[in-house]
Amino acid sequence: MTIQFSGNAAPFIATSRDILVAQGIKLTIGSDFEEYKALVADERPMQKLGAPFDPDLHNLNKSNAFWLIGRNEEGELIHTQAARRIRLGGRPLSSYLLRQFRAFPPPLRGVDLARSRFRATPGTHRIAGTVAYHGEFWVAPERGKYRGVGLAPVLGRTGMLEMMQRWDPDWIYGFILNVVAFKGFGARIGYLHLEPSALKWVVDGRDAPIDTFLAYNSREDLEYLLDIPLQEAA
């Protein structure tokens, strides 16, 4: 199936380009995850590379994954995100994650994979077919410069559009820590569905487990989302 918009993607692309130019931000997309891993280690030391995008753990290439970064006018890294296709083997996401959820830990040290757990949410039973995982979303912490200025909708939708153009997925999904989800992060970057308590991670040295929301969109959600004038979202 080919993606269709009631209009087309051109207005979104033009408006997002104008917003990024006004902020002095240049985006780059690539598929060499050795390059991305080195970039993250060197320029994003406060958040380590997520396991789903570690080339030492997965065969990542231009056919099944990409990364997207943003730099400011000084060439400094101010944004990252990445996506990869997930092969469900004809199963729903719930069955896949029952066995594979430990492949999607948060980028924290000391995660106890043996004591952590996955709970199938209603959405995971519906998500099937061609599926993409969305992660690595980070924006430089200078609040008032890059955060809280309407960039998240632009960056989130840009990544989602790239997934649609590459793979035309039936669904995209990701995981958002509670502390971030409660601040409205999922809604800001463009997720129409959020389901709580999907993953619960036990971390050494923490009294309570870290809880996680499942965030997801269907193809129809993405078509609707990208047809909304970006000025309304940003």
Side-chain angles (χ1 to χ4, degrees):
M1 183 182 294
T2 302
I3 59 172
Q4 298 289 336
F5 300 97
S6 58
N8 57 66
F12 168 82
I13 294 170
T15 305
S16 63
R17 183 184 299 116
D18 290 344
I19 293 172
L20 294 170
V21 168
Q23 293 284 341
I25 296 171
K26 179 180 179 181
L27 299 184
T28 301
I29 297 174
S31 295
D32 183 341
F33 277 83
E34 293 290 350
E35 177 185 353
Y36 180 71
K37 182 175 184 177
L39 180 154
V40 166
D42 185 46
E43 302 185 61
R44 199 189 71 186
M46 69 293 294
Q47 181 176 313
K48 70 174 186 176
L49 177 67
F53 298 100
D54 188 338
D56 293 339
L57 302 176
H58 306 283
N59 180 21
L60 304 170
N61 54 65
K62 63 181 181 180
S63 69
N64 65 11
F66 71 88
W67 47 261
L68 184 156
I69 65 169
R71 294 188 181 278
N72 62 16
E73 292 175 313
E74 289 73 42
E76 298 167 325
L77 183 70
I78 60 93
H79 171 63
T80 67
Q81 63 178 296
R84 54 177 276 216
R85 287 189 61 175
I86 300 296
R87 296 189 179 278
L88 298 183
R91 298 168 292 171
L93 185 63
S94 54
S95 297
Y96 172 85
L97 287 176
L98 188 62
R99 296 176 179 271
Q100 299 293 333
F101 79 91
R102 294 178 181 86
F104 300 91
L108 303 172
R109 301 188 185 282
V111 177
D112 188 333
L113 297 178
R115 297 167 57 206
S116 300
R117 66 106 180 113
F118 161 70
R119 174 180 291 157
T121 68
T124 59
H125 294 301
R126 294 191 295 270
I127 295 172
T130 302
V131 175
Y133 171 72
H134 188 201
E136 287 288 295
F137 203 100
W138 172 84
V139 177
E142 293 89 344
R143 183 163 183 81
K145 189 173 183 181
Y146 303 117
R147 294 187 182 184
V149 295
L151 277 178
V154 178
L155 298 170
R157 286 159 175 77
T158 297
M160 292 178 188
L161 177 61
E162 184 69 19
M163 284 182 263
M164 293 179 74
Q165 292 178 326
R166 284 175 179 248
W167 306 315
D168 188 22
D170 298 299
W171 304 86
I172 68 171
Y173 77 96
F175 299 107
I176 304 175
L177 299 180
N178 276 17
V179 66
V180 180
F182 289 147
K183 296 177 180 178
F185 171 75
R188 288 202 305 275
I189 69 171
Y191 280 102
L192 275 62
H193 306 279
L194 292 169
E195 297 179 344
S197 202
L199 295 175
K200 193 178 291 289
W201 300 105
V202 175
V203 180
D204 295 340
R206 293 178 181 255
D207 294 333
I210 295 176
D211 222 339
T212 305
F213 276 76
L214 170 74
Y216 65 94
N217 282 335
S218 67
R219 179 190 286 116
E220 291 75 18
D221 295 329
L222 292 165
E223 293 169 359
Y224 172 79
L225 181 74
L226 290 167
D227 202 47
I228 297 172
L230 191 53
Q231 296 91 333
E232 296 180 16

